[in-house]
Amino acid sequence: WLYHERLVGLFADSSDFWLVRTKADGDTLWTRTFGEPDSNNICQSGQLTFDGGYIMAASGEVMWLIKTNADGDTLWTRRTGGPGTSEPVHVVQTADSGYAIFGNIFGTLAAPDTTAPRNWLLIKTDSLGSLKWSRTYGGDGDEQSLGMLLTDDGGFLLTGWLDLTDTVDVVALWLVRTDSIGDTLWTTTVGDSGLSLGIDLLELAEGEYAVTGVTSPTGEDSFSGWLVRFGDPTAQSTTPVVAGVPKAFALHANYPNPFNPSTTIGFDLPVAAVVTLTVYDILGREVVRLENRQMGAGYHQATWNGRANDGREVPTGIYFARITAAEYRQTIKMLLLK
């Protein structure tokens, strides 16, 4: 593959779905088709994996996970759930090279039931797709999962909607925070009339999150986009929080990771400080210095385009981003795949 080639999309029709690899100008390099006979196969989520291949989560006759190599050829598949009972919405590779799948299920994974309420489903697998654990979240109504985020401590942040009336007439944005094995740490909702739901998530700092979504307070057909900022309801702090200013220094995991050709690194400054943000290779040699200046308190981002200080493109490999700000020191690991 050339440096500027990239994955552009996962598409679905009434029977099969496709994995499409293109160049930067959109010219197709290859396509792969996936599907089960006599089934409406839909893939809503896929990701580049640490080894340069792809992972996809799809719904057909049952929920299934597909792992391919870098050329899109299938390495293995795993199927779970009962017929017509489960739908994956997101799949991500976790730090242990396993996978997390977030979606919906009628009943539970052990006892799927099309007559049961629809709840959220979170599945964790090993690197070969074998089930390690599963968790369901929800009540007596029909809940809908929409967004998942891996948190800095290895846990999960989940969002979508919670049915407050068992009739889907009033649904609230629902945010669930779990630990690394899916056990609930806390939940919170926003909205007690009409329709409100969360779609995507961002971890701003330790214990602070933003959710994007849509809302229709009167339940009519007209919706508005909205942004909701949350704090950890279990956090105990006597330090006053100034709006727009983080409570502590933090260096966040880069996104996307793995990446090609660029990635974004977020960091938080509770006070003004001289910031040095440097990328090193696996041998500890400086590759590029992204920041080296006085910066104000707040939430910041830096983008690395996969090039060194001299402008050359660096090869595939593991790199480290290290920040120094006042007395704060932190390092994250990044994976560049071409």
Side-chain angles (χ1 to χ4, degrees):
W1 292 345
L2 299 175
Y3 179 73
H4 291 295
E5 296 169 357
R6 61 191 175 95
L7 175 74
V8 296
L10 296 159
F11 305 94
D13 69 3
S14 60
S15 58
D16 297 330
F17 61 90
W18 294 270
L19 178 66
V20 183
R21 176 79 180 187
T22 79
K23 297 180 182 179
D25 60 5
D27 289 340
T28 300
L29 291 170
W30 50 254
T31 66
R32 300 289 184 269
T33 302
F34 305 86
E36 298 176 310
D38 303 320
S39 178
N40 184 23
N41 301 281
I42 298 175
C43 178
Q44 297 192 54
S45 180
Q47 185 189 51
L48 183 69
T49 52
F50 298 157
D51 61 2
Y54 304 96
I55 189 71
M56 295 171 286
S59 57
E61 181 64 16
V62 295
M63 180 186 297
W64 55 313
L65 197 63
I66 306 102
K67 176 70 176 73
T68 79
N69 62 16
D71 295 320
D73 298 324
T74 300
L75 297 177
W76 51 257
T77 66
R78 299 288 182 269
R79 289 170 171 79
T80 189
T85 63
S86 51
E87 173 199 25
V89 175
H90 281 283
V91 60
V92 297
Q93 190 168 30
T94 50
D96 62 358
S97 295
Y99 304 99
I101 304 101
F102 182 45
N104 306 297
I105 191 164
F106 293 92
T108 66
L109 204 60
D113 180 0
T114 55
T115 65
R118 181 183 60 204
N119 291 152
W120 291 0
L121 172 67
L122 180 62
I123 295 174
K124 178 68 175 67
T125 78
D126 63 16
S127 61
L128 296 177
S130 296
L131 180 68
K132 296 182 70 174
W133 52 258
S134 68
R135 301 286 185 272
T136 56
Y137 313 87
D140 295 330
D142 282 329
E143 276 65 64
Q144 174 69 45
S145 64
L146 289 170
M148 174 174 66
L149 176 73
L150 298 180
T151 56
D152 287 348
D153 62 1
F156 301 91
L157 194 65
L158 312 173
T159 196
W161 82 54
L162 176 68
D163 183 0
L164 300 179
T165 62
D166 300 344
T167 60
V168 199
D169 290 330
V170 179
V171 299
L173 182 156
W174 193 23
L175 189 65
V176 177
R177 176 74 159 87
T178 81
D179 61 16
S180 60
I181 59 172
D183 291 337
T184 300
L185 298 177
W186 52 261
T187 73
T188 188
T189 59
V190 177
D192 55 11
S193 64
L195 307 175
S196 303
L197 54 146
I199 296 176
D200 207 357
L201 301 145
L202 178 66
E203 186 169 17
L204 302 175
E206 184 177 358
E208 293 187 17
Y209 312 96
V211 179
T212 59
V214 295
T215 183
S216 176
T218 60
E220 298 174 350
D221 292 336
S222 178
F223 285 82
S224 300
W226 68 335
L227 177 67
V228 186
R229 185 168 175 174
F230 292 90
D232 183 344
T234 66
Q236 301 294 324
S237 174
T238 58
T239 304
V241 178
V242 180
V245 178
K247 295 181 291 186
F249 287 103
L251 176 64
H252 301 290
N254 61 301
Y255 183 83
N257 191 35
F259 68 95
N260 178 25
S262 64
T263 190
T264 299
I265 305 165
F267 55 96
D268 307 335
L269 306 177
V271 296
V274 175
V275 175
T276 301
L277 181 61
T278 308
V279 176
Y280 298 91
D281 65 18
I282 199 167
L283 298 178
R285 299 173 298 197
E286 180 176 317
V287 176
V288 64
R289 188 162 294 189
L290 300 175
E291 299 287 358
N292 188 25
R293 60 189 176 95
Q294 177 78 22
M295 302 183 73
Y299 302 97
H300 300 275
Q301 292 182 333
T303 298
W304 182 37
N305 61 4
R307 295 178 180 268
N309 282 319
D310 59 7
R312 63 181 173 85
E313 297 174 357
V314 301
T316 292
I318 295 173
Y319 295 87
F320 298 91
R322 179 174 176 80
I323 193 171
T324 301
E327 301 301 317
Y328 180 71
R329 307 285 188 274
Q330 187 59 266
T331 302
I332 59 171
K333 182 169 69 174
M334 308 180 293
L335 179 59
L336 172 61
L337 290 176
K338 295 186 177 180

